[in-house]
Structures are given as structure tokens and as C-alpha cells.
Short mmCIF file of all heavy atoms in Angstrom, two decimals:
data_model
loop_
_atom_site.label_atom_id
_atom_site.label_comp_id
_atom_site.label_asym_id
_atom_site.label_seq_id
_atom_site.Cartn_x
_atom_site.Cartn_y
_atom_site.Cartn_z
N MET A 1 -2.71 34.63 -12.92
CA MET A 1 -2.71 34.22 -14.29
C MET A 1 -3.32 32.84 -14.45
O MET A 1 -2.99 31.84 -13.68
CB MET A 1 -1.24 34.14 -14.76
CG MET A 1 -0.61 35.46 -15.11
SD MET A 1 -1.39 36.19 -16.56
CE MET A 1 -0.72 35.21 -17.79
N MET A 2 -4.20 32.68 -15.39
CA MET A 2 -4.84 31.44 -15.66
C MET A 2 -3.88 30.65 -16.53
O MET A 2 -3.38 31.21 -17.58
CB MET A 2 -6.16 31.60 -16.33
CG MET A 2 -7.27 32.07 -15.35
SD MET A 2 -7.91 30.74 -14.34
CE MET A 2 -8.88 29.90 -15.60
N GLU A 3 -3.64 29.50 -16.16
CA GLU A 3 -2.79 28.60 -17.02
C GLU A 3 -3.48 27.28 -17.23
O GLU A 3 -3.79 26.58 -16.23
CB GLU A 3 -1.45 28.52 -16.32
CG GLU A 3 -0.40 27.82 -17.19
CD GLU A 3 0.83 27.51 -16.41
OE1 GLU A 3 0.96 28.03 -15.26
OE2 GLU A 3 1.72 26.80 -16.90
N ILE A 4 -3.65 26.95 -18.43
CA ILE A 4 -4.22 25.65 -18.69
C ILE A 4 -3.14 24.63 -18.84
O ILE A 4 -2.32 24.70 -19.73
CB ILE A 4 -5.16 25.66 -20.00
CG1 ILE A 4 -6.34 26.56 -19.72
CG2 ILE A 4 -5.58 24.26 -20.26
CD1 ILE A 4 -7.13 26.87 -20.98
N ARG A 5 -3.14 23.71 -17.93
CA ARG A 5 -2.04 22.69 -17.96
C ARG A 5 -2.66 21.36 -18.29
O ARG A 5 -3.83 21.05 -18.00
CB ARG A 5 -1.36 22.60 -16.58
CG ARG A 5 -0.70 23.97 -16.30
CD ARG A 5 0.27 23.79 -15.13
NE ARG A 5 -0.49 23.18 -13.96
CZ ARG A 5 0.12 22.45 -13.04
NH1 ARG A 5 1.40 22.22 -13.13
NH2 ARG A 5 -0.55 21.97 -12.04
N LYS A 6 -1.87 20.59 -18.96
CA LYS A 6 -2.37 19.23 -19.30
C LYS A 6 -1.48 18.19 -18.66
O LYS A 6 -0.33 18.46 -18.28
CB LYS A 6 -2.33 19.04 -20.85
CG LYS A 6 -3.43 19.79 -21.54
CD LYS A 6 -3.39 19.49 -22.99
CE LYS A 6 -4.57 20.17 -23.74
NZ LYS A 6 -4.46 20.01 -25.19
N CYS A 7 -2.09 17.03 -18.49
CA CYS A 7 -1.39 15.85 -17.94
C CYS A 7 -0.14 15.62 -18.74
O CYS A 7 -0.13 15.70 -19.97
CB CYS A 7 -2.26 14.68 -17.94
SG CYS A 7 -1.53 13.19 -17.37
N LYS A 8 0.93 15.33 -18.08
CA LYS A 8 2.26 15.08 -18.78
C LYS A 8 2.29 13.79 -19.54
O LYS A 8 3.20 13.59 -20.36
CB LYS A 8 3.35 15.13 -17.76
CG LYS A 8 3.68 16.55 -17.21
CD LYS A 8 4.37 17.40 -18.22
CE LYS A 8 4.60 18.79 -17.62
NZ LYS A 8 5.17 19.64 -18.63
N ASN A 9 1.32 12.96 -19.24
CA ASN A 9 1.26 11.70 -19.93
C ASN A 9 0.79 11.94 -21.36
O ASN A 9 -0.30 12.38 -21.58
CB ASN A 9 0.33 10.76 -19.21
CG ASN A 9 0.31 9.35 -19.83
OD1 ASN A 9 0.75 9.10 -21.00
ND2 ASN A 9 -0.20 8.40 -19.13
N LYS A 10 1.65 11.67 -22.39
CA LYS A 10 1.33 11.95 -23.73
C LYS A 10 0.11 11.21 -24.24
O LYS A 10 -0.52 11.65 -25.15
CB LYS A 10 2.55 11.61 -24.60
CG LYS A 10 3.68 12.64 -24.41
CD LYS A 10 4.69 12.56 -25.55
CE LYS A 10 5.73 13.63 -25.43
NZ LYS A 10 6.85 13.29 -24.55
N LYS A 11 -0.12 10.05 -23.63
CA LYS A 11 -1.27 9.27 -24.02
C LYS A 11 -2.55 9.75 -23.41
O LYS A 11 -3.63 9.35 -23.80
CB LYS A 11 -1.08 7.76 -23.69
CG LYS A 11 -0.03 7.09 -24.55
CD LYS A 11 0.19 5.67 -24.07
CE LYS A 11 1.40 5.11 -24.70
NZ LYS A 11 1.88 3.86 -24.09
N CYS A 12 -2.40 10.58 -22.38
CA CYS A 12 -3.64 11.04 -21.64
C CYS A 12 -4.03 12.41 -22.03
O CYS A 12 -5.10 12.60 -22.62
CB CYS A 12 -3.20 10.93 -20.17
SG CYS A 12 -4.49 11.58 -19.07
N GLN A 13 -3.16 13.36 -21.80
CA GLN A 13 -3.45 14.83 -22.19
C GLN A 13 -4.73 15.37 -21.60
O GLN A 13 -5.32 16.27 -22.10
CB GLN A 13 -3.48 14.92 -23.71
CG GLN A 13 -2.16 14.53 -24.37
CD GLN A 13 -1.15 15.68 -24.28
OE1 GLN A 13 -1.38 16.77 -24.78
NE2 GLN A 13 -0.06 15.43 -23.58
N ARG A 14 -5.14 14.82 -20.45
CA ARG A 14 -6.27 15.46 -19.77
C ARG A 14 -5.93 16.85 -19.22
O ARG A 14 -4.84 17.09 -18.88
CB ARG A 14 -6.68 14.61 -18.59
CG ARG A 14 -7.59 13.43 -18.92
CD ARG A 14 -7.82 12.64 -17.64
NE ARG A 14 -7.60 11.22 -17.94
CZ ARG A 14 -8.60 10.33 -17.68
NH1 ARG A 14 -9.73 10.71 -17.21
NH2 ARG A 14 -8.40 9.05 -17.97
N THR A 15 -6.95 17.71 -19.27
CA THR A 15 -6.68 19.02 -18.68
C THR A 15 -6.69 18.92 -17.21
O THR A 15 -7.61 18.31 -16.64
CB THR A 15 -7.81 20.00 -19.17
OG1 THR A 15 -7.91 19.87 -20.62
CG2 THR A 15 -7.44 21.44 -18.83
N LEU A 16 -5.73 19.50 -16.56
CA LEU A 16 -5.64 19.44 -15.11
C LEU A 16 -6.49 20.64 -14.52
O LEU A 16 -6.45 21.71 -15.07
CB LEU A 16 -4.16 19.55 -14.69
CG LEU A 16 -3.30 18.49 -15.18
CD1 LEU A 16 -1.83 18.74 -14.80
CD2 LEU A 16 -3.71 17.09 -14.67
N PRO A 17 -7.11 20.32 -13.39
CA PRO A 17 -7.90 21.38 -12.78
C PRO A 17 -7.05 22.60 -12.29
O PRO A 17 -5.77 22.37 -12.06
CB PRO A 17 -8.53 20.68 -11.56
CG PRO A 17 -8.12 19.30 -11.60
CD PRO A 17 -7.16 19.14 -12.67
N GLU A 18 -7.60 23.70 -12.17
CA GLU A 18 -6.88 24.90 -11.78
C GLU A 18 -6.34 24.70 -10.38
O GLU A 18 -7.04 24.23 -9.47
CB GLU A 18 -7.85 26.15 -11.72
CG GLU A 18 -7.16 27.45 -11.66
CD GLU A 18 -8.15 28.58 -11.56
OE1 GLU A 18 -9.32 28.37 -11.91
OE2 GLU A 18 -7.72 29.61 -11.01
N GLY A 19 -5.07 25.07 -10.18
CA GLY A 19 -4.44 24.93 -8.88
C GLY A 19 -3.95 23.53 -8.59
O GLY A 19 -3.46 23.23 -7.53
N TYR A 20 -4.09 22.67 -9.58
CA TYR A 20 -3.70 21.32 -9.33
C TYR A 20 -2.18 21.22 -9.29
O TYR A 20 -1.49 21.87 -10.14
CB TYR A 20 -4.19 20.47 -10.55
CG TYR A 20 -4.10 18.93 -10.32
CD1 TYR A 20 -5.04 18.30 -9.50
CD2 TYR A 20 -3.18 18.17 -11.05
CE1 TYR A 20 -4.97 16.98 -9.29
CE2 TYR A 20 -3.13 16.84 -10.90
CZ TYR A 20 -4.03 16.21 -10.02
OH TYR A 20 -3.95 14.90 -9.88
N LYS A 21 -1.62 20.62 -8.30
CA LYS A 21 -0.20 20.72 -8.08
C LYS A 21 0.64 19.64 -8.74
O LYS A 21 1.86 19.76 -8.84
CB LYS A 21 0.06 20.70 -6.61
CG LYS A 21 -0.30 22.02 -5.88
CD LYS A 21 0.13 22.07 -4.49
CE LYS A 21 -0.18 23.44 -3.89
NZ LYS A 21 -1.11 23.33 -2.74
N ASN A 22 -0.03 18.60 -9.25
CA ASN A 22 0.77 17.56 -9.82
C ASN A 22 0.83 17.70 -11.38
O ASN A 22 -0.06 18.32 -11.93
CB ASN A 22 0.16 16.25 -9.52
CG ASN A 22 0.21 16.02 -7.99
OD1 ASN A 22 1.32 15.98 -7.39
ND2 ASN A 22 -0.99 15.85 -7.37
N ARG A 23 1.88 17.14 -11.89
CA ARG A 23 1.98 17.25 -13.36
C ARG A 23 1.15 16.20 -14.12
O ARG A 23 0.93 16.29 -15.24
CB ARG A 23 3.47 17.08 -13.73
CG ARG A 23 4.31 18.24 -13.38
CD ARG A 23 5.75 18.00 -13.76
NE ARG A 23 6.30 16.87 -13.12
CZ ARG A 23 7.46 16.31 -13.35
NH1 ARG A 23 8.16 16.77 -14.39
NH2 ARG A 23 7.91 15.30 -12.72
N TYR A 24 0.74 15.23 -13.35
CA TYR A 24 -0.11 14.19 -13.92
C TYR A 24 -1.53 14.16 -13.27
O TYR A 24 -1.67 14.52 -12.17
CB TYR A 24 0.50 12.76 -13.65
CG TYR A 24 1.85 12.62 -14.41
CD1 TYR A 24 3.05 12.97 -13.79
CD2 TYR A 24 1.88 12.06 -15.66
CE1 TYR A 24 4.24 12.84 -14.43
CE2 TYR A 24 3.09 11.88 -16.27
CZ TYR A 24 4.25 12.29 -15.66
OH TYR A 24 5.46 12.15 -16.28
N CYS A 25 -2.48 13.87 -14.13
CA CYS A 25 -3.84 13.84 -13.64
C CYS A 25 -4.04 12.69 -12.59
O CYS A 25 -3.21 11.85 -12.46
CB CYS A 25 -4.80 13.71 -14.79
SG CYS A 25 -4.87 12.07 -15.52
N GLU A 26 -5.15 12.78 -11.88
CA GLU A 26 -5.42 11.82 -10.81
C GLU A 26 -5.33 10.43 -11.33
O GLU A 26 -4.79 9.53 -10.74
CB GLU A 26 -6.82 12.10 -10.33
CG GLU A 26 -7.01 11.70 -8.87
CD GLU A 26 -6.19 12.57 -7.90
OE1 GLU A 26 -6.19 13.82 -8.00
OE2 GLU A 26 -5.56 11.95 -7.01
N ASN A 27 -5.93 10.22 -12.54
CA ASN A 27 -6.03 8.92 -13.13
C ASN A 27 -4.63 8.33 -13.36
O ASN A 27 -4.33 7.21 -13.02
CB ASN A 27 -6.77 9.08 -14.47
CG ASN A 27 -7.07 7.67 -15.11
OD1 ASN A 27 -7.66 6.88 -14.46
ND2 ASN A 27 -6.68 7.48 -16.33
N CYS A 28 -3.74 9.15 -13.96
CA CYS A 28 -2.39 8.72 -14.27
C CYS A 28 -1.64 8.43 -12.97
O CYS A 28 -0.78 7.63 -12.91
CB CYS A 28 -1.60 9.73 -15.12
SG CYS A 28 -2.30 9.79 -16.80
N ARG A 29 -1.83 9.35 -12.04
CA ARG A 29 -1.12 9.19 -10.77
C ARG A 29 -1.53 7.84 -10.10
O ARG A 29 -0.64 7.14 -9.51
CB ARG A 29 -1.48 10.27 -9.81
CG ARG A 29 -0.62 11.58 -10.11
CD ARG A 29 -1.19 12.71 -9.36
NE ARG A 29 -1.27 12.56 -7.95
CZ ARG A 29 -0.29 12.53 -7.05
NH1 ARG A 29 0.95 12.79 -7.48
NH2 ARG A 29 -0.47 12.36 -5.84
N ASN A 30 -2.76 7.49 -10.15
CA ASN A 30 -3.19 6.21 -9.59
C ASN A 30 -2.51 5.07 -10.36
O ASN A 30 -2.00 4.11 -9.68
CB ASN A 30 -4.69 6.01 -9.68
CG ASN A 30 -5.44 6.92 -8.72
OD1 ASN A 30 -4.83 7.33 -7.72
ND2 ASN A 30 -6.65 7.23 -9.01
N ASP A 31 -2.50 5.15 -11.65
CA ASP A 31 -1.75 4.10 -12.43
C ASP A 31 -0.27 4.07 -12.00
O ASP A 31 0.27 2.96 -11.86
CB ASP A 31 -1.88 4.48 -13.92
CG ASP A 31 -3.14 4.05 -14.54
OD1 ASP A 31 -4.01 3.52 -13.82
OD2 ASP A 31 -3.32 4.21 -15.74
N HIS A 32 0.33 5.20 -11.91
CA HIS A 32 1.70 5.28 -11.55
C HIS A 32 1.95 4.70 -10.19
O HIS A 32 2.94 3.96 -10.00
CB HIS A 32 2.10 6.76 -11.58
CG HIS A 32 3.54 7.01 -11.66
ND1 HIS A 32 4.33 6.61 -12.73
CD2 HIS A 32 4.48 7.60 -10.79
CE1 HIS A 32 5.59 6.93 -12.49
NE2 HIS A 32 5.65 7.51 -11.34
N VAL A 33 1.12 5.03 -9.25
CA VAL A 33 1.29 4.49 -7.83
C VAL A 33 1.23 2.94 -7.89
O VAL A 33 2.03 2.26 -7.27
CB VAL A 33 0.21 5.07 -6.93
CG1 VAL A 33 0.17 4.35 -5.60
CG2 VAL A 33 0.49 6.56 -6.64
N GLU A 34 0.29 2.44 -8.67
CA GLU A 34 0.16 0.99 -8.78
C GLU A 34 1.44 0.38 -9.34
O GLU A 34 1.93 -0.66 -8.86
CB GLU A 34 -1.07 0.61 -9.69
CG GLU A 34 -2.36 0.81 -8.97
CD GLU A 34 -2.54 -0.01 -7.74
OE1 GLU A 34 -2.20 -1.18 -7.75
OE2 GLU A 34 -2.97 0.56 -6.73
N LYS A 35 1.93 1.02 -10.38
CA LYS A 35 3.14 0.47 -11.07
C LYS A 35 4.33 0.62 -10.04
O LYS A 35 5.16 -0.31 -9.92
CB LYS A 35 3.47 1.31 -12.28
CG LYS A 35 2.69 0.81 -13.48
CD LYS A 35 2.95 1.74 -14.68
CE LYS A 35 1.89 1.40 -15.77
NZ LYS A 35 1.91 2.38 -16.81
N LEU A 36 4.36 1.73 -9.33
CA LEU A 36 5.45 1.89 -8.32
C LEU A 36 5.43 0.85 -7.25
O LEU A 36 6.41 0.35 -6.84
CB LEU A 36 5.31 3.29 -7.68
CG LEU A 36 6.10 4.42 -8.30
CD1 LEU A 36 5.91 5.69 -7.53
CD2 LEU A 36 7.58 4.16 -8.45
N LYS A 37 4.17 0.60 -6.80
CA LYS A 37 4.00 -0.41 -5.80
C LYS A 37 4.50 -1.79 -6.27
O LYS A 37 5.25 -2.51 -5.59
CB LYS A 37 2.53 -0.56 -5.43
CG LYS A 37 2.10 0.46 -4.33
CD LYS A 37 0.62 0.21 -4.02
CE LYS A 37 0.04 1.32 -3.17
NZ LYS A 37 -1.41 1.24 -3.13
N ASN A 38 4.10 -2.12 -7.51
CA ASN A 38 4.51 -3.40 -8.08
C ASN A 38 6.09 -3.43 -8.23
O ASN A 38 6.72 -4.41 -7.90
CB ASN A 38 3.84 -3.64 -9.41
CG ASN A 38 2.38 -3.99 -9.20
OD1 ASN A 38 1.92 -4.45 -8.19
ND2 ASN A 38 1.56 -3.68 -10.25
N ALA A 39 6.60 -2.34 -8.79
CA ALA A 39 8.04 -2.24 -9.01
C ALA A 39 8.79 -2.25 -7.64
O ALA A 39 9.81 -2.95 -7.57
CB ALA A 39 8.39 -0.92 -9.69
N GLY A 40 8.13 -1.69 -6.65
CA GLY A 40 8.75 -1.69 -5.31
C GLY A 40 8.81 -3.12 -4.76
O GLY A 40 9.85 -3.53 -4.20
N LYS A 41 7.77 -3.90 -4.97
CA LYS A 41 7.72 -5.25 -4.49
C LYS A 41 8.81 -6.05 -5.17
O LYS A 41 9.50 -6.86 -4.51
CB LYS A 41 6.35 -5.88 -4.77
CG LYS A 41 5.34 -5.57 -3.72
CD LYS A 41 3.98 -6.17 -4.10
CE LYS A 41 2.86 -5.53 -3.33
NZ LYS A 41 1.56 -5.86 -3.88
N VAL A 42 8.87 -5.92 -6.52
CA VAL A 42 9.89 -6.65 -7.29
C VAL A 42 11.31 -6.30 -6.78
O VAL A 42 12.12 -7.14 -6.56
CB VAL A 42 9.70 -6.35 -8.79
CG1 VAL A 42 10.84 -6.96 -9.54
CG2 VAL A 42 8.38 -6.92 -9.23
N LEU A 43 11.50 -4.98 -6.64
CA LEU A 43 12.77 -4.45 -6.25
C LEU A 43 13.15 -4.97 -4.85
O LEU A 43 14.25 -5.43 -4.66
CB LEU A 43 12.74 -2.93 -6.22
CG LEU A 43 14.05 -2.20 -6.22
CD1 LEU A 43 14.73 -2.41 -7.57
CD2 LEU A 43 13.88 -0.75 -5.93
N LEU A 44 12.17 -4.93 -3.93
CA LEU A 44 12.46 -5.44 -2.55
C LEU A 44 12.81 -6.90 -2.55
O LEU A 44 13.74 -7.32 -1.88
CB LEU A 44 11.24 -5.22 -1.65
CG LEU A 44 11.13 -3.71 -1.09
CD1 LEU A 44 9.87 -3.64 -0.30
CD2 LEU A 44 12.28 -3.45 -0.20
N THR A 45 12.10 -7.60 -3.35
CA THR A 45 12.37 -9.05 -3.45
C THR A 45 13.78 -9.31 -3.98
O THR A 45 14.57 -10.09 -3.44
CB THR A 45 11.39 -9.75 -4.42
OG1 THR A 45 10.09 -9.43 -4.05
CG2 THR A 45 11.55 -11.23 -4.37
N CYS A 46 14.10 -8.53 -5.07
CA CYS A 46 15.50 -8.68 -5.64
C CYS A 46 16.57 -8.22 -4.66
O CYS A 46 17.57 -8.98 -4.42
CB CYS A 46 15.63 -7.80 -6.89
SG CYS A 46 14.69 -8.39 -8.26
N VAL A 47 16.35 -7.11 -3.93
CA VAL A 47 17.29 -6.62 -2.95
C VAL A 47 17.47 -7.67 -1.87
O VAL A 47 18.52 -7.91 -1.43
CB VAL A 47 16.84 -5.29 -2.42
CG1 VAL A 47 17.67 -4.86 -1.22
CG2 VAL A 47 17.01 -4.19 -3.48
N GLY A 48 16.31 -8.25 -1.44
CA GLY A 48 16.25 -9.25 -0.45
C GLY A 48 17.14 -10.44 -0.84
O GLY A 48 17.96 -10.93 -0.01
N ILE A 49 16.95 -10.92 -2.03
CA ILE A 49 17.69 -12.15 -2.47
C ILE A 49 19.18 -11.82 -2.59
O ILE A 49 19.99 -12.50 -2.07
CB ILE A 49 17.13 -12.60 -3.83
CG1 ILE A 49 15.69 -13.16 -3.60
CG2 ILE A 49 18.02 -13.64 -4.40
CD1 ILE A 49 14.95 -13.38 -4.91
N VAL A 50 19.44 -10.67 -3.28
CA VAL A 50 20.85 -10.28 -3.52
C VAL A 50 21.50 -10.00 -2.15
O VAL A 50 22.62 -10.39 -1.90
CB VAL A 50 20.92 -9.01 -4.48
CG1 VAL A 50 22.35 -8.49 -4.48
CG2 VAL A 50 20.44 -9.40 -5.85
N GLY A 51 20.72 -9.28 -1.34
CA GLY A 51 21.30 -8.86 -0.03
C GLY A 51 21.65 -10.09 0.84
O GLY A 51 22.74 -10.14 1.35
N SER A 52 20.77 -11.04 0.96
CA SER A 52 20.98 -12.17 1.75
C SER A 52 22.08 -13.07 1.14
O SER A 52 22.92 -13.59 1.95
CB SER A 52 19.71 -12.99 1.98
OG SER A 52 19.15 -13.30 0.77
N THR A 53 22.18 -13.08 -0.17
CA THR A 53 23.28 -13.82 -0.83
C THR A 53 24.59 -13.11 -0.57
O THR A 53 25.56 -13.82 -0.22
CB THR A 53 23.06 -13.86 -2.33
OG1 THR A 53 21.70 -14.43 -2.63
CG2 THR A 53 24.03 -14.77 -3.04
N ALA A 54 24.53 -11.81 -0.63
CA ALA A 54 25.78 -11.04 -0.40
C ALA A 54 26.28 -11.24 1.02
O ALA A 54 27.45 -11.41 1.30
CB ALA A 54 25.56 -9.57 -0.70
N ILE A 55 25.34 -11.25 1.95
CA ILE A 55 25.67 -11.45 3.36
C ILE A 55 26.23 -12.83 3.59
O ILE A 55 27.23 -13.05 4.30
CB ILE A 55 24.44 -11.18 4.26
CG1 ILE A 55 24.10 -9.71 4.31
CG2 ILE A 55 24.70 -11.68 5.64
CD1 ILE A 55 22.75 -9.38 4.87
N ALA A 56 25.59 -13.81 2.92
CA ALA A 56 26.03 -15.20 3.05
C ALA A 56 27.41 -15.34 2.53
O ALA A 56 28.32 -16.08 3.09
CB ALA A 56 25.04 -16.09 2.30
N ILE A 57 27.73 -14.72 1.40
CA ILE A 57 29.11 -14.71 0.75
C ILE A 57 30.05 -13.99 1.67
O ILE A 57 31.18 -14.50 1.98
CB ILE A 57 29.10 -14.05 -0.59
CG1 ILE A 57 28.27 -15.01 -1.58
CG2 ILE A 57 30.49 -13.92 -1.13
CD1 ILE A 57 27.94 -14.30 -2.86
N ALA A 58 29.67 -12.82 2.19
CA ALA A 58 30.56 -11.96 3.00
C ALA A 58 30.90 -12.68 4.33
O ALA A 58 32.06 -12.59 4.82
CB ALA A 58 29.87 -10.67 3.31
N THR A 59 29.99 -13.40 4.86
CA THR A 59 30.22 -14.13 6.06
C THR A 59 30.74 -15.52 5.86
O THR A 59 30.95 -16.31 6.77
CB THR A 59 28.93 -14.11 6.96
OG1 THR A 59 27.95 -14.75 6.21
CG2 THR A 59 28.53 -12.75 7.33
N LYS A 60 30.78 -15.87 4.56
CA LYS A 60 31.21 -17.22 4.22
C LYS A 60 30.33 -18.29 4.82
O LYS A 60 30.86 -19.34 5.27
CB LYS A 60 32.67 -17.45 4.50
CG LYS A 60 33.55 -16.66 3.56
CD LYS A 60 35.03 -16.80 3.94
CE LYS A 60 35.87 -15.84 3.14
NZ LYS A 60 37.27 -15.85 3.54
N GLY A 61 29.09 -18.03 5.01
CA GLY A 61 28.14 -18.99 5.48
C GLY A 61 28.26 -19.23 6.98
O GLY A 61 27.75 -20.13 7.53
N LYS A 62 29.00 -18.31 7.68
CA LYS A 62 29.15 -18.49 9.08
C LYS A 62 27.84 -18.13 9.83
O LYS A 62 27.55 -18.66 10.87
CB LYS A 62 30.28 -17.60 9.62
CG LYS A 62 31.62 -18.20 9.41
CD LYS A 62 32.69 -17.18 9.85
CE LYS A 62 34.07 -17.64 9.28
NZ LYS A 62 35.04 -16.60 9.43
N ILE A 63 27.20 -17.14 9.22
CA ILE A 63 25.91 -16.75 9.80
C ILE A 63 24.74 -17.26 8.95
O ILE A 63 24.72 -17.02 7.74
CB ILE A 63 25.82 -15.22 10.01
CG1 ILE A 63 26.86 -14.74 10.86
CG2 ILE A 63 24.42 -14.78 10.46
CD1 ILE A 63 27.07 -13.23 10.82
N ASN A 64 23.92 -18.06 9.53
CA ASN A 64 22.74 -18.50 8.85
C ASN A 64 21.52 -17.54 9.10
O ASN A 64 21.16 -17.46 10.29
CB ASN A 64 22.35 -19.94 9.20
CG ASN A 64 23.41 -20.92 8.66
OD1 ASN A 64 23.90 -20.76 7.57
ND2 ASN A 64 23.71 -21.92 9.42
N ILE A 65 21.04 -16.93 8.07
CA ILE A 65 19.98 -15.97 8.31
C ILE A 65 18.69 -16.74 8.40
O ILE A 65 18.00 -16.63 9.41
CB ILE A 65 19.89 -14.99 7.14
CG1 ILE A 65 21.20 -14.20 7.02
CG2 ILE A 65 18.74 -13.99 7.39
CD1 ILE A 65 21.42 -13.63 5.70
N LYS A 66 18.46 -17.54 7.40
CA LYS A 66 17.20 -18.39 7.45
C LYS A 66 17.56 -19.76 6.89
O LYS A 66 18.40 -19.90 6.01
CB LYS A 66 16.14 -17.69 6.55
CG LYS A 66 15.37 -16.64 7.26
CD LYS A 66 14.42 -16.01 6.28
CE LYS A 66 13.75 -14.75 6.89
NZ LYS A 66 12.91 -14.10 5.97
N LYS A 67 16.92 -20.71 7.43
CA LYS A 67 17.09 -21.97 6.80
C LYS A 67 15.84 -22.45 6.08
O LYS A 67 14.78 -22.04 6.40
CB LYS A 67 17.36 -23.02 7.97
CG LYS A 67 18.80 -22.89 8.37
CD LYS A 67 19.18 -24.10 9.33
CE LYS A 67 20.64 -24.07 9.71
NZ LYS A 67 21.01 -25.21 10.60
ZN1 ZN B 1 -3.28 11.73 -17.15
#
């Protein structure tokens, strides 16, 4: 069965090639990956700060991770 699928991005709506396994076109996927990378960096930074603060509180400053 031939099925014409379009990119799930409402702003994009590009027709996806036959047999294409992703819901988003290559272009949107690249954009998404970039955003994910950036979000990942921000998240890791936040987790890092919160994490080290939490450890510092939990250990009541007995363990110094970094000075
Ligand atoms: Zn797209």
C-alpha cells in the first residue's frame, strides 16, 4: 500500500519519502536534534548544579567536591 505521509511538524508539512521511518522530515529532525542537544546541555548544567548542591547539603559540607 502506498501511503503519502507528511512531516508531523505543522509548520513544515513536507512529504516524507516512501519507506521513511520517521514522523518528521530530515530537516525537522536536524532542527530537533540541535534543540535536544542544547536542552541537554542546559539540563545537564542544571542537574550538575542542583546535584552538587544537594550532595553538599546531604553531607553538610563534610565532603568537598570542588573548590
Ligand atoms: Zn519537517
Side-chain angles (χ1 to χ4, degrees):
M1 283 294 286
M2 286 281 286
E3 189 188 350
I4 295 168
R5 298 193 306 151
K6 283 183 179 175
C7 177
K8 289 284 177 184
N9 185 344
K10 288 194 174 88
K11 288 175 190 168
C12 175
Q13 296 282 299
R14 276 176 224 239
T15 311
L16 299 175
E18 195 186 336
Y20 193 75
K21 285 186 178 123
N22 298 301
R23 287 180 299 167
Y24 294 88
C25 70
E26 207 68 47
N27 189 54
C28 289
R29 278 169 52 79
N30 287 337
D31 277 4
H32 197 62
V33 167
E34 285 302 312
K35 278 176 192 166
L36 268 182
K37 276 183 191 169
N38 289 334
K41 277 180 199 166
V42 172
L43 198 71
L44 277 178
T45 309
C46 288
V47 169
I49 292 166
V50 172
S52 52
T53 306
I55 289 166
I57 292 167
T59 58
K60 291 178 185 174
K62 283 175 191 167
I63 297 167
N64 289 323
I65 302 159
K66 276 178 190 172
K67 280 192 176 178

